[in-house]
Amino acid sequence: MKLILHISVILLAALLGAGCIEDGFSTSPSDQPEFSVDTLDIGTVFTDEPTPTSRMLVYNRHSKSLSISDISLSGRDASCFRLNIDGISGERFADVEVRSRDSVFVFVEATLPEAPGLEADYEANIDFTTNGVRRSVVLAARGRNVERLHAVTLSADTRFTAEKPYQIYDSLVVAPGATLTVEAGASLCFHDASRLVVRGTLVTEGTPEKPVSMSGDRTGNVVSDISFDIMSRQWTGVFFTPTSKHNSLVNTVIRNTVYGVTVSGDPEAGLVPDVAMLNCRLRNSGDLVLDAVHARVRAVGCEFAEGSAGLVSLHGGSHSFSHCTFANYYLFTVIGGPAIQFGHISDDGKTGLDDGSGAPYLAAEFSNSIIYGLGTDLSHGDLTGTDVTFRNCLLKSDGSDDDNFLLCLWNTDPLYYTVRDEYLFDYRLRPDSPAIGAADPSLTPAEAAVDGYGLARGEAPDLGAYVFAPPTEE
């Protein structure tokens, strides 16, 4: 009985001791929290609107709990920033407990005032006082002034400059007879559900050094290291209507859309919109990146990449694609269709091959191009009797040449630099790519003399949109 009582006393003492260790607070100045970052950089954001939320972690690596007696903002631009500690918003926090071997989240938002110039840097500190010692984490942000457009219709010729970005809400419409010209380096940033509707003419003047950008208006990362740059469905897309004509897009990047670029004709009215694209990149669409219906599209040196429903759909109309790269490694869903899809292509009676419009059947030529990625490459493997041809192209399919496929490379990996699991989508060619030097120079149009990076194709051009460049040694 005495032995049992003795053991019980020992166990009770141990439990009480353990409880003291777990619940007690350190008062030693040497016991301090650790931070996941020294500087929390929000990045470049638009002024006069709330930023996306950034976060950091505060760790307690010690055997006792820590009580952070004060968490507050200080510094020149402290009033621009806002804090949220573990779900509670405020400007100042007292006696924040961090249990032993645990952590708490600190969330930060900002609203930056209009910059005195086009851009300005903003900085503040989050101060943490623990056991009489104050330590700080720097908050940094760069504010960029922006011109905001709400449901604007352009009824006269208009020029967008590169002076500052345009943030577009609801819609931007180019009326019939009007031309919107977008100069090199300009950025059009579209808010959720907004769109660009071209009933007149769109002309972009991008260069390899200063491309025109059309993208969503979100900045930073969605989570961890996944950037908003690779996320689709941030805005609706670009729509060329039947009255649109003489559109010319040069060195233009269109990304983050729901529907990509849509070009729609009206056969009954005899309206056939036309779009010429040179060294453009259409990527990251929640549907197709290009959908052309009874229209005319000419694409040279262009990249069509990452579409949930496939990449390009051509339904009737007349089209040509030279030195283009079609690459689908869409990240967020199973790819729902072939990279290139054809409709209204013949009168053999099969469903979908003739839409009954009476419009001319599809005529399309692909030359010196690459069609390779996840999923299938073509919706129709047998193009006999159609006016669709592939000349000197690299294809994922395992097939053989005939009247519609001429001098093609079959079942051949072009060896992109893309690493999907690491969120790297780079469709330039690795040094051992079979596409290097494999293009037919007689099929290279004059405007394809340089690629989207400004590299000359030369006398022995490569297949696809991009000229191979040997990697540089660092």
Side-chain angles (χ1 to χ4, degrees):
M1 187 69 181
K2 290 182 179 180
L3 178 60
I4 293 174
L5 181 60
H6 182 66
I7 293 173
S8 299
V9 170
I10 293 174
L11 289 174
L12 179 60
L15 288 171
L16 290 173
C20 291
I21 292 173
E22 180 182 346
D23 297 331
F25 287 89
S26 170
T27 59
S28 171
S30 63
D31 288 347
Q32 294 294 315
E34 295 182 9
F35 309 120
S36 58
V37 293
D38 296 321
T39 298
L40 185 60
D41 191 346
I42 294 177
T44 300
V45 296
F46 294 147
T47 58
D48 285 334
E49 70 176 31
T51 68
T53 300
S54 298
R55 69 178 186 179
M56 59 171 285
L57 278 163
V58 180
Y59 299 101
N60 177 7
R61 309 292 193 189
H62 307 288
S63 60
K64 290 186 177 183
S65 295
L66 291 178
S67 178
I68 305 177
S69 57
D70 183 77
I71 301 177
S72 56
L73 292 164
S74 67
R76 178 191 66 195
D77 303 312
S79 62
C80 299
F81 296 88
R82 298 179 296 279
L83 299 179
N84 183 298
I85 310 294
D86 262 357
I88 301 175
S89 299
E91 298 179 357
R92 192 164 202 151
F93 300 82
D95 302 325
V96 175
E97 178 183 349
V98 189
R99 291 184 178 274
S100 171
R101 317 297 184 192
D102 203 351
S103 60
V104 296
F105 281 105
V106 176
F107 298 96
V108 180
E109 292 181 345
T111 300
L112 307 180
E114 185 171 348
L118 294 178
E119 292 186 343
D121 292 320
Y122 297 83
E123 189 172 294
N125 296 320
I126 312 178
D127 298 324
F128 299 83
T129 302
T130 310
N131 296 334
V133 177
R134 189 175 75 174
R135 301 173 66 212
S136 301
V137 171
V138 175
L139 297 177
R142 186 167 184 81
R144 177 179 295 169
N145 294 339
V146 63
E147 182 169 339
R148 293 183 172 88
L149 304 177
H150 293 263
V152 170
T153 295
L154 305 175
S155 299
D157 291 352
T158 305
R159 186 174 185 85
F160 281 5
T161 71
E163 182 179 5
K164 56 184 177 180
Y166 296 82
Q167 188 178 27
I168 297 159
Y169 292 82
D170 186 64
S171 63
L172 173 64
V173 179
V174 183
T179 297
L180 170 61
T181 302
V182 185
E183 75 175 24
S187 293
L188 279 63
C189 304
F190 292 82
H191 197 63
D192 181 44
S194 62
R195 64 183 62 204
L196 171 59
V197 180
V198 183
R199 305 187 190 282
T201 301
L202 174 65
V203 176
T204 64
E205 301 175 335
T207 67
E209 298 77 21
K210 296 180 178 181
V212 169
S213 174
M214 300 185 190
S215 66
D217 64 355
R218 301 294 300 271
T219 60
N221 291 344
V222 187
V223 291
S224 65
D225 56 350
I226 301 179
S227 168
F228 274 108
D229 285 347
I230 66 171
M231 295 293 294
S232 66
R233 301 183 180 276
Q234 295 184 47
W235 59 291
T236 308
V238 181
F239 297 85
F240 294 94
T241 73
T243 58
S244 180
K245 57 185 178 181
H246 308 318
N247 299 287
S248 174
L249 310 182
V250 179
N251 286 97
T252 299
V253 181
I254 302 174
R255 66 178 188 269
N256 313 133
T257 58
V258 177
Y259 296 113
V261 173
T262 302
V263 192
S264 300
D266 184 348
E268 291 186 4
L271 297 175
V272 182
D274 59 292
V275 179
M277 295 185 286
L278 174 63
N279 294 342
C280 293
R281 300 177 192 175
L282 279 57
R283 59 194 317 177
N284 303 332
S285 171
D287 197 82
L288 298 159
V289 297
L290 173 64
D291 187 6
V293 181
H294 297 300
R296 290 195 298 269
V297 173
R298 174 177 170 80
V300 176
C302 294
E303 173 193 306
F304 303 92
E306 294 114 47
S308 176
L311 297 177
V312 173
S313 175
L314 306 175
H315 184 98
S318 178
H319 315 279
S320 67
F321 297 83
S322 179
H323 281 287
C324 291
T325 293
F326 303 82
N328 203 355
Y329 290 84
Y330 190 78
L331 186 63
F332 303 104
T333 63
V334 175
I335 295 170
I340 302 176
Q341 304 165 23
F342 304 120
H344 193 65
I345 61 174
S346 75
D347 60 354
D348 69 357
K350 293 182 181 179
T351 302
L353 299 187
D354 185 336
D355 64 7
S357 65
Y361 292 115
L362 173 66
E365 179 172 282
F366 299 80
S367 60
N368 286 341
S369 295
I370 297 173
I371 306 97
Y372 194 95
L374 299 180
T376 56
D377 46 5
L378 305 177
S379 62
H380 295 70
D382 183 1
L383 296 172
T384 303
T386 71
D387 194 9
V388 178
T389 58
F390 289 82
R391 300 177 186 274
N392 214 71
C393 292
L394 183 154
L395 296 143
K396 181 180 181 181
S397 294
D398 188 6
S400 58
D401 289 352
D402 57 23
D403 290 342
N404 298 90
F405 296 92
L406 308 172
L407 300 175
C408 290
L409 291 176
W410 296 91
N411 190 23
T412 302
D413 189 339
L415 300 178
Y416 305 128
Y417 276 106
T418 294
V419 183
R420 186 170 179 262
D421 292 343
E422 298 178 8
Y423 315 125
L424 173 65
F425 300 92
D426 185 342
Y427 299 111
R428 287 175 288 183
L429 304 173
R430 299 206 310 253
D432 48 350
S433 170
I436 296 173
D440 182 347
S442 70
L443 300 175
T444 301
E447 61 264 46
V450 298
D451 72 357
Y453 290 94
L455 300 176
R457 297 195 189 276
E459 297 180 356
D462 307 325
L463 295 177
Y466 304 119
V467 174
F468 166 71
T472 57
E473 295 184 4
E474 296 184 0

